[in-house]
Amino acid sequence: MLRSNRSDPPCLNIDGLVKDFGPLPSLEGKMVRVLDGVALQAYRGQVTALLGANGAGKTTTIECAQGLLSRDGGTVSLLGEDPARATSSLRARVGVMLQDGGLPPAARPLALLRHIAGMYSRPADIDALVARLGIGSFAGTPVRRLSGGQKQRLAMAAALAGDPEVLFLDEPSAGLDPQSRAIVFDLVRELRDEGLGIVLTTHLLDDAQRLADYVYIVDAGRTVTHGTVPDLINATRPTESGRVLTFEAVPGLDVASIVPGHLSAVETRPGSYTVTGPLAAADLAVLAQAWDAAGVMPTALQLSPRSLEDVFLEVSGKELP
Amino acid sequence: MSAPAPLARRIALQGGYETMCMLRNGEQLILAIVLPLLALVGLAVTPLLDPLTSPGTGRVDIATPGVLALCAMSTAFTGQGIATGFDRRYGVLRFLSTTPLGRTGLIAGKAVAVAVVLGLQVLVISAVALLMGWSPSPAGIAVAILLLALGAAAFTALGLLVAGTVRPEATLAITNLLWILLAAGGGIVIPPEALPGQLAGLVQLLPSGALGEALRSALLAGQFNFTAFLVLAGWTVLSGVAAVRWFKWS
């Protein structure tokens, strides 16, 4: 199957999803509404990312989609069925990687994968999966002795053991060293190209920017905006310009007084400066003259269009960690 | 398109997997085999049960049914309770319930593991007891096997109720402490009539006392102890309903 055809029926369709937790002692016995009308569609052959800060409701959303949590309102359709009443046939078509792994500490990776594969009538080729995810070097080591990256790769293999059509990944890059991250990300793209519908959550803009074909930004229990990464970045609001200049130099420059009046400038960290506004070539000349007059030479200089981070800040008013 | 393996195969696989986990765990083996064997030998060589012996009914005849009951409590309540409590902590229950195994298959797999391990315990304890001169009433053997199964069901439900409602550290403490208290004074290995007066009536209402008494009636006299059976069945139903109602998967 080829990529990104959003006119096909979605493999996951969530509408008006509501979830209440509680009553909670920390809220004087009151209920708290953690999801308040989440809507999203995920398609085969695409990576769909739920992007949001911790506590935004990403994990709760996909746990309702997996049938691990019951919902208090709205509809969820996973491969045309309601996951709240999942049958073993539906579960056989869906692979799940939980945020905490869910692997028994005493188990040995290869034996565990073979055990899980036994639950399916046509499981994945476990030897190929072990080779692909580099599990061979720790195939006999108890789970409790594995590094974070090794555990995460094993959890990914466990999610794929049944050769699923839909794959859920909850914070897939959590705890990953750069090498594990490259292996996992390559495999996600390859599976996407083979036609799997992949739904992941992440609080990292970089993950979303590098992996996702389609992004839903989740904030305070709602999906606040969605689109492809380029769509989201290019959807410039009429009142704002799409350019950002960042530079690094000695700390403590009075940057607000040296930029032209139609731009705004702040020192975000000591020695890091951000200039925003309708930047023109002439503004760069003004800045360069001011640096020259102050005897300052920037050590780094970058001019960029809006980032996904700007979009995120704009829609949620919050910063990601 | 991916499809699940047949239900029976999924349950058998999970049962085998959980059985191996229990048999590979050193602490579980001590609880399941070593401590019951120590209780059997201890009761056979000390005069603790002498007030209850009679011509033709020796210490080992009185001790063995109680030790078999103790095996059911070790494996079903303490052993499976602790294992399930930690599986819950590590998200193993959540992960496995997303596979075709599902929640029902997971519980069925645990029941299979309890049955297999209990079967092995019964073989070991019975063999040692027979070598020590145990002569069970032949008429009561079939009833005793059924009672052991019912006792295992009651204690599994109780173990899952504890494991599914409190933290695993608390499960560890509660199930171990109750095991010691019930083994010593719960009417399971030491018959209620050998306990101090006020305790005797109370322990017959406990699952430990009921299982111990029912097995002694069956294996000493070949009788079906209907009262003890009713008490045990009541505990099974109540704790089963409570476990279904309050068990938290995460």
Side-chain angles (χ1 to χ4, degrees):
Chain A
M1 175 188 273
L2 289 176
R3 298 271 307 278
S4 305
N5 193 348
R6 291 185 70 88
S7 61
D8 290 334
C11 57
L12 173 65
N13 193 352
I14 300 180
D15 194 26
L17 178 61
V18 172
K19 177 69 188 172
D20 297 322
F21 281 160
L24 295 177
S26 55
L27 290 169
E28 293 165 341
K30 292 204 181 75
M31 306 284 287
V32 56
R33 178 149 290 188
V34 289
L35 297 182
D36 191 11
V38 168
L40 75 85
Q41 284 88 41
Y43 293 84
R44 293 169 193 263
Q46 285 195 354
V47 176
T48 305
L50 278 74
L51 173 68
N54 293 325
K58 308 182 297 290
T59 296
T60 308
T61 300
I62 66 164
E63 290 197 345
C64 287
Q66 293 155 352
L68 278 172
L69 280 179
S70 62
R71 59 182 185 268
D72 296 304
T75 57
V76 180
S77 168
L78 174 63
L79 292 166
E81 294 183 50
D82 183 348
R85 291 188 294 276
T87 58
S88 57
S89 315
L90 176 60
R91 286 193 299 263
R93 299 169 66 193
V94 177
V96 173
M97 180 170 129
L98 299 174
Q99 202 174 121
D100 53 12
L103 309 169
R108 289 159 201 277
L110 186 58
L112 180 68
L113 289 175
R114 294 209 186 287
H115 174 60
I116 295 165
M119 301 292 167
Y120 303 83
S121 63
R122 282 184 293 276
D125 178 346
I126 294 299
D127 292 328
L129 211 50
V130 163
R132 185 70 176 79
L133 281 161
I135 290 170
S137 62
F138 56 89
T141 310
V143 168
R144 72 165 69 84
R145 298 227 305 269
L146 302 182
S147 71
Q150 290 172 330
K151 274 185 196 157
Q152 201 77 335
R153 279 186 273 156
L154 177 58
M156 175 104 176
L160 291 168
D163 195 14
E165 295 163 53
V166 174
L167 176 65
F168 286 102
L169 305 169
D170 198 356
E171 296 283 351
S173 62
L176 287 187
D177 49 282
Q179 185 206 357
S180 297
R181 189 174 148 99
I183 294 173
V184 167
F185 279 27
D186 281 351
L187 182 56
V188 167
R189 292 188 194 102
E190 196 176 294
L191 293 165
R192 182 236 358 240
D193 293 344
E194 286 168 13
L196 259 78
I198 300 172
V199 181
L200 61 85
T201 71
T202 182
H203 67 279
L204 299 173
L205 291 154
D206 189 43
D207 280 10
Q209 213 142 9
R210 284 172 55 179
L211 275 182
D213 298 298
Y214 207 84
V215 177
Y216 284 85
I217 295 181
V218 183
D219 185 51
R222 294 165 196 261
T223 32
V224 287
T225 188
H226 56 92
T228 64
V229 174
D231 283 352
L232 287 174
I233 290 173
N234 293 330
T236 311
R237 295 203 306 205
T239 52
E240 281 196 4
S241 151
R243 286 218 176 78
V244 178
L245 174 74
T246 52
F247 68 93
E248 297 193 1
V250 289
L253 281 180
D254 185 8
V255 71
S257 71
I258 63 175
V259 300
H262 59 280
L263 302 175
S264 62
V266 286
E267 187 172 3
T268 52
R269 291 194 305 273
S272 283
Y273 303 88
T274 300
V275 180
T276 48
L279 268 169
D283 298 320
L284 298 179
V286 173
L287 266 175
Q289 275 173 8
W291 289 328
D292 190 41
V296 169
M297 179 62 201
T299 52
L301 180 67
Q302 196 183 9
L303 192 61
S304 50
R306 280 165 29 117
S307 65
L308 197 51
E309 188 166 10
D310 299 319
V311 178
F312 186 82
L313 278 170
E314 199 176 290
V315 297
S316 71
K318 281 186 195 141
E319 290 202 41
L320 286 171
Chain B
M1 194 162 92
S2 204
L7 177 66
R9 184 166 146 227
R10 302 197 303 263
I11 292 173
L13 262 180
Q14 187 63 20
Y17 183 82
E18 299 240 359
T19 302
M20 290 316 291
C21 289
M22 291 179 93
L23 295 178
R24 282 209 190 109
N25 184 317
E27 290 151 47
Q28 296 251 31
L29 274 186
I30 290 175
L31 192 70
I33 302 285
V34 178
L35 293 180
L37 272 179
L38 283 178
L40 179 65
V41 174
L43 290 170
V45 301
T46 60
L48 206 65
L49 296 175
D50 280 358
L52 302 170
T53 55
S54 59
T57 305
R59 291 168 182 169
V60 76
D61 294 319
I62 301 171
T64 307
V67 172
L68 293 175
L70 181 66
C71 287
M73 187 166 75
S74 296
T75 297
F77 179 64
T78 310
Q80 194 53 260
I82 293 170
T84 305
F86 281 97
D87 277 355
R88 184 175 146 237
R89 150 78 51 88
Y90 294 119
V92 178
L93 300 182
R94 276 160 18 100
F95 172 68
L96 287 177
S97 64
T98 69
T99 70
L101 183 64
R103 292 181 177 180
T104 330
L106 191 54
I107 297 295
K110 287 186 179 295
V112 168
V114 168
V116 172
V117 174
L118 182 57
L120 294 173
Q121 289 171 289
V122 169
L123 288 180
V124 172
I125 295 293
S126 301
V128 173
L130 287 169
L131 288 173
M132 293 167 73
W134 178 41
S135 57
S137 164
I141 290 175
V143 171
I145 291 171
L146 284 177
L147 287 168
L148 270 174
L150 180 62
F155 279 117
T156 303
L158 281 168
L160 292 180
L161 177 61
V162 176
T165 49
V166 301
R167 290 183 301 123
E169 291 79 7
T171 300
L172 189 76
I174 291 168
T175 57
N176 272 319
L177 187 67
L178 278 178
W179 187 87
I180 293 168
L181 291 177
L182 292 176
I188 195 162
V189 279
I190 301 168
E193 57 262 42
L195 294 168
Q198 301 94 322
L199 262 180
L202 181 68
V203 299
Q204 301 197 33
L205 296 175
L206 296 178
S208 53
L211 181 60
E213 284 298 271
L215 284 175
R216 275 185 289 273
S217 297
L219 294 169
L220 282 168
Q223 288 168 351
F224 183 70
N225 185 333
F226 194 67
T227 315
F229 168 80
L230 276 187
V231 170
L232 206 52
W235 276 99
T236 310
V237 171
L238 279 183
S239 42
V241 168
V244 168
R245 170 73 183 77
W246 284 299
F247 192 94
K248 291 201 288 279
W249 292 82
S250 56

